[in-house]
Amino acid sequence: MIQTAPYGLQMSDLYLFNKGCSYHSYRFMGAHVMDVVGEIGVRFAVWAPNAREVRLVGDFNGWNGSGSLMERVSSTGIWVIFIPGLGEGVVYKYEVITSSGEHLLKADPYAFLAERRPQTASVVSNLSGFPWRDKKWVDTKQQRPSYSNPLLVYEVHAGSWKLKGKEDFLTYDEMAEQLVPYAAEMGYTHIELMPINEHPFDQSWGYQITGYYAPSSRYGRPKQLMHFIDCCHAKGIGVILDWVPGHFCKDAHGLRRFDGTPIYEGADEKLADKPLWGTLAFDFKRNEVVSFLISNAIYWMDVFHFDGLRIDAVASMINLHMDKPPELFTWNEFGGIDNLDALRFMKRLNETVFHYYPEALMIAEDSSAWPAVTSPTYLGGLGFNFKWNMGWMNDFLRYMSTDPADRSHHHHLLTFSLLYAFSENYVLPLSHDEVVHGKRSLLNKMPGTYEEKFAQLRLLYGYWIAHPGKKLLFMGGEWGQFDEWKDRDPLDWMLLDYELHAKMQDYVRVLNHVYTKEQSLWERDQDATAFQWIDVNNAEQSIISFIRYGRQGFSVTVANFSRNGYSNYRLGVPQPGCYRMILNSNEEQFGGSDSRSTQQYDSEKVGWHGYNQSISIYLPPLSFQLFSFVSGDTH
């Protein structure tokens, strides 16, 4: 017989929560509208193991909790109360009386909704009953392994993609009406939302969270977010949530010293404090914290139908010294700097997510050299299925920022990534981190004249698309945002009134659709035998060329990173036949100078680049060209 706690709580659920094995704890923790012995009301449950007393306060009792004392459930550390007559929309907090007698007002860690900032209370919200229409999407997704399918992510900060006025944000509904069709038209397969978990400070971009289970009320209500995701799925677009399990902010109403003691962050201040960010790290060895975080990952997929998570700052989680001054250094039990508790947490996180959602995307934002991040845990890996390729991003942007006249001396920055491109399942990120804090926008990183900047950005995007690995581009990059990203202002949409910016957007649209249609660019991303250099060593001319093989066909890429053009550039090809140009970054419609008079090239039996066959092409300066092999019959 299952022992029950007050008001329908199951002792078995609380036991698993305390053991770190409750992966759906949001179903019983927090505020739930329910029927208890024939009375409709709200049951509240909160974990505060070291509190002397916990009271419920809110607009329903004039913020006086003297008559709303919560009951402690034996030794679980969980406090519970049921208030009949309450319902959705009630504003509340927990008044926690610490062991020393201090009174703390805390938001609900499991709240499904919070007041709009600067207010900080929690709001009762019923998440059931949304009429999902995405069964076809879910069924299709389960039949399409992510490794062998295109992944082209549009990274979006909801607070600045568009604004209606100063701090007048688009709602989730308005994003469904505007952002979703735009992303579909542009050819993106996924939208990644920068953290929309409730956060008090706009300029944290959502990375310093107080409400892990609450979609930010800046943009509307939880069911409006469900509507946004449902609309994405109807258009064939997946949705990824930027997720931050590494640390949380120190705001008084949040998780910090929640019951007067450090239960979420742990007692060791050196381990907990992250001064560079002004945050506190989660205590990954605490069972209840593990239940809280893994349940949160499951929650976004279970309740909101998110298709995956991009896990922020993995390197900072696994390295005890990263982002810390020497006086805060700690070591593990073996004298090393690896956070063993964080590593165990990440393995269990991925094992659990893939148990419930085998088709989920679990993407590590990891700048470390930790091996096997995307290998299964049973093979000793961390169990993610994708990892951001930060090394490629740093090298390539450094190369592209170099004047073309000097690039011959830095050719290794272009080619080095292929030495490790197949060691993990990589995503190639051109993210928000690269266009803030004085780093300049992608367009403005490009050297040279105004026209050369655009030519080189088109080249950059072409090489990015053709390079092995999945793709991510931050909003605004698609038309050449000239200024850095300004998180308080909307993107500079007015730039589309200028010819080269409009043509850049057209180029990216065409490039995106070429990517999703050309199977060789994604079908065998993780297969080293599906990539072959044509010419890797041409540093003198700053030209590079290679082949990408799909299961049935192949494509040929040639990229010229110099200011020199070649009217009869000979390119070795692996098979005799017809090669069709499917993209040329120098076309007039994209802002270049080519009218694209020649679209197909028959190979000749002229040995070149180690192949018996070759084609002769016009190779413009600062250009990217992509060819598809059509057939073995020349004509």
Side-chain angles (χ1 to χ4, degrees):
M1 180 176 179
I2 299 176
Q3 182 184 359
T4 58
Y7 312 118
L9 282 175
Q10 301 295 320
M11 290 301 298
S12 58
D13 287 336
L14 306 190
Y15 172 81
L16 291 174
F17 177 77
N18 290 144
K19 289 294 183 180
C21 300
S22 175
Y23 304 137
H24 298 84
S25 56
Y26 53 88
R27 295 178 179 174
F28 58 87
M29 296 294 287
H32 293 267
V33 178
M34 60 192 311
D35 184 327
V36 174
V37 196
E39 287 191 286
I40 302 296
V42 180
R43 186 189 67 198
F44 300 84
V46 64
W47 177 58
N50 302 310
R52 178 194 299 176
E53 187 177 290
V54 182
R55 304 169 181 176
L56 185 71
V57 297
D59 56 2
F60 63 94
N61 63 7
W63 299 91
N64 183 342
S66 59
S68 303
L69 273 63
M70 302 182 73
E71 179 179 347
R72 186 180 180 116
V73 184
S74 62
S75 61
T76 64
I78 293 172
W79 302 75
V80 62
I81 192 172
F82 176 76
I83 309 288
L86 295 188
E88 193 166 15
V90 168
V91 179
Y92 69 99
K93 278 187 177 181
Y94 299 113
E95 183 181 7
V96 180
I97 293 84
T98 70
S99 59
S100 64
E102 184 182 4
H103 288 235
L104 306 176
L105 280 179
K106 292 289 187 177
D108 188 347
Y110 281 88
F112 300 146
L113 180 64
E115 288 185 300
R116 185 174 171 122
R117 53 85 173 115
Q119 304 304 315
T120 59
S122 303
V123 182
V124 175
S125 183
N126 186 356
L127 302 184
S128 63
F130 181 80
W132 289 100
R133 303 167 298 166
D134 64 350
K135 185 179 186 304
K136 181 179 178 181
W137 165 264
V138 173
D139 292 344
T140 301
K141 183 174 63 171
Q142 291 173 347
Q143 299 165 12
R144 297 178 60 189
S146 55
Y147 300 112
S148 56
N149 275 281
L151 182 65
L152 179 55
V153 181
Y154 188 47
E155 186 189 25
V156 172
H157 177 250
S160 60
W161 184 72
K162 284 186 179 179
L163 286 173
K164 295 177 288 186
K166 184 177 180 181
E167 297 187 7
D168 189 4
F169 306 110
L170 294 185
T171 66
Y172 297 117
D173 285 341
E174 289 167 332
M175 284 187 269
E177 295 170 357
Q178 299 179 44
L179 172 57
V180 174
Y182 176 78
E185 178 191 3
M186 290 297 297
Y188 294 103
T189 66
H190 290 72
I191 293 172
E192 178 180 313
L193 292 175
M194 289 172 66
I196 55 166
N197 313 72
E198 195 58 79
H199 53 283
F201 183 49
D202 291 354
Q203 276 64 62
S204 79
W205 311 334
Y207 288 100
Q208 296 182 12
I209 294 169
T210 51
Y212 271 79
Y213 288 81
S216 178
S217 55
R218 290 168 177 80
Y219 316 119
R221 299 281 169 155
K223 287 183 180 177
Q224 291 178 298
L225 174 59
M226 295 178 190
H227 172 68
F228 169 80
I229 295 172
D230 204 34
C231 289
C232 285
H233 290 170
K235 286 285 190 179
I237 297 174
V239 190
I240 300 166
L241 175 65
D242 213 333
W243 192 57
V244 190
H247 59 132
F248 56 90
C249 65
K250 297 180 179 180
D251 291 56
H253 68 284
L255 301 177
R256 178 179 179 269
R257 299 186 67 85
F258 188 83
D259 63 0
T261 65
I263 59 173
Y264 283 93
E265 63 269 36
D268 188 339
E269 292 185 8
K270 288 185 176 181
L271 188 61
D273 195 17
K274 299 184 83 69
L276 180 66
W277 305 105
T279 57
L280 296 168
F282 280 104
D283 181 2
F284 297 111
K285 68 177 177 292
R286 182 97 188 216
N287 288 337
E288 293 87 352
V289 172
V290 171
S291 288
F292 174 81
L293 287 172
I294 295 183
S295 290
N296 189 244
I298 297 297
Y299 165 80
W300 292 109
M301 298 180 190
D302 177 24
V303 178
F304 288 89
H305 294 204
F306 274 96
D307 299 283
L309 305 174
R310 176 266 197 186
I311 292 78
D312 181 61
V314 168
S316 184
M317 293 168 66
I318 64 179
N319 186 329
L320 292 168
H321 291 183
M322 189 170 180
D323 299 332
K324 294 193 175 187
E327 60 269 21
L328 292 182
F329 283 179
T330 56
W331 288 263
N332 64 34
E333 59 194 274
F334 303 107
I337 63 171
D338 300 330
N339 188 330
L340 303 179
D341 296 313
L343 290 167
R344 281 189 286 266
F345 162 75
M346 278 184 271
K347 292 178 180 181
R348 196 199 296 188
L349 166 71
N350 288 315
E351 289 169 352
T352 306
V353 167
F354 290 126
H355 171 77
Y356 290 105
Y357 297 97
E359 73 286 354
L361 297 169
M362 294 294 286
I363 305 169
E365 188 263 316
D366 177 27
S367 59
S368 76
W370 190 270
V373 171
T374 58
S375 293
T377 57
Y378 61 80
L379 294 178
L382 292 186
F384 294 96
N385 53 5
F386 288 101
K387 170 183 173 173
W388 276 20
N389 192 335
M390 311 293 278
W392 168 87
M393 178 271 298
N394 283 312
D395 284 351
F396 188 44
L397 292 184
R398 181 180 164 197
Y399 178 83
M400 291 301 300
S401 300
T402 302
D403 189 277
D406 298 323
R407 284 176 179 161
S408 61
H409 304 296
H410 303 278
H411 196 67
H412 65 286
L413 295 175
L414 195 61
T415 61
F416 180 68
S417 60
L418 269 302
L419 295 178
Y420 62 87
F422 307 101
S423 62
E424 301 275 8
N425 302 324
Y426 280 119
V427 174
L428 308 183
L430 296 170
S431 75
H432 69 278
D433 279 330
E434 309 319 312
V435 295
V436 291
H437 302 321
K439 296 179 183 178
R440 297 177 294 170
S441 70
L442 292 180
L443 179 65
N444 209 13
K445 291 180 195 289
M446 302 299 102
T449 66
Y450 182 73
E451 289 76 14
E452 284 180 335
K453 286 179 180 292
F454 283 91
Q456 291 183 91
L457 188 58
R458 294 193 301 270
L459 169 59
L460 181 155
Y461 288 150
Y463 188 72
W464 165 70
I465 282 289
H467 189 289
K470 309 307 183 186
K471 323 296 175 188
L472 177 141
L473 180 65
F474 184 57
M475 63 183 196
E478 69 271 23
W479 66 70
Q481 175 91 358
F482 201 87
D483 288 341
E484 281 191 335
W485 170 47
K486 305 177 287 292
D487 54 63
R488 298 189 185 195
D489 300 320
L491 294 176
D492 295 330
W493 291 90
M494 77 290 295
L495 289 177
L496 292 173
D497 294 333
Y498 296 86
E499 181 181 15
L500 283 181
H501 291 280
K503 288 185 172 182
M504 176 64 73
Q505 185 190 48
D506 186 41
Y507 172 71
V508 171
R509 181 191 300 109
V510 172
L511 181 67
N512 288 352
H513 284 285
V514 165
Y515 167 74
T516 56
K517 291 177 182 176
E518 180 56 48
Q519 296 182 356
S520 65
L521 297 180
W522 41 261
E523 201 169 42
R524 297 172 63 189
D525 258 328
Q526 286 73 42
D527 184 354
T529 65
F531 177 90
Q532 191 172 62
W533 289 112
I534 296 175
D535 188 3
V536 62
N537 295 315
N538 194 350
E540 183 179 350
Q541 291 179 302
S542 298
I543 298 173
I544 201 164
S545 51
F546 55 83
I547 304 164
R548 296 288 307 277
Y549 289 96
R551 292 197 179 100
Q552 295 182 335
F554 65 90
S555 61
V556 172
T557 287
V558 57
N560 180 6
F561 294 92
S562 78
R563 290 190 175 101
N564 299 317
Y566 302 90
S567 57
N568 291 291
Y569 181 82
R570 188 159 290 279
L571 180 68
V573 292
Q575 291 187 29
C578 181
Y579 290 78
R580 180 170 61 89
M581 182 185 289
I582 55 178
L583 193 70
N584 174 9
S585 69
N586 197 48
E587 288 182 36
E588 288 179 344
Q589 73 173 98
F590 303 140
S593 57
D594 289 355
S595 59
R596 192 170 178 168
S597 58
T598 305
Q599 297 188 25
Q600 295 196 155
Y601 298 82
D602 292 334
S603 67
E604 302 172 82
K605 198 171 182 179
V606 177
W608 214 261
H609 292 139
Y611 296 95
N612 294 327
Q613 298 281 323
S614 61
I615 58 177
S616 180
I617 63 173
Y618 168 56
L619 184 60
L622 304 173
S623 68
F624 163 85
Q625 294 181 2
L626 181 67
F627 300 86
S628 177
F629 179 67
V630 179
S631 71
D633 298 323
T634 60
H635 52 277

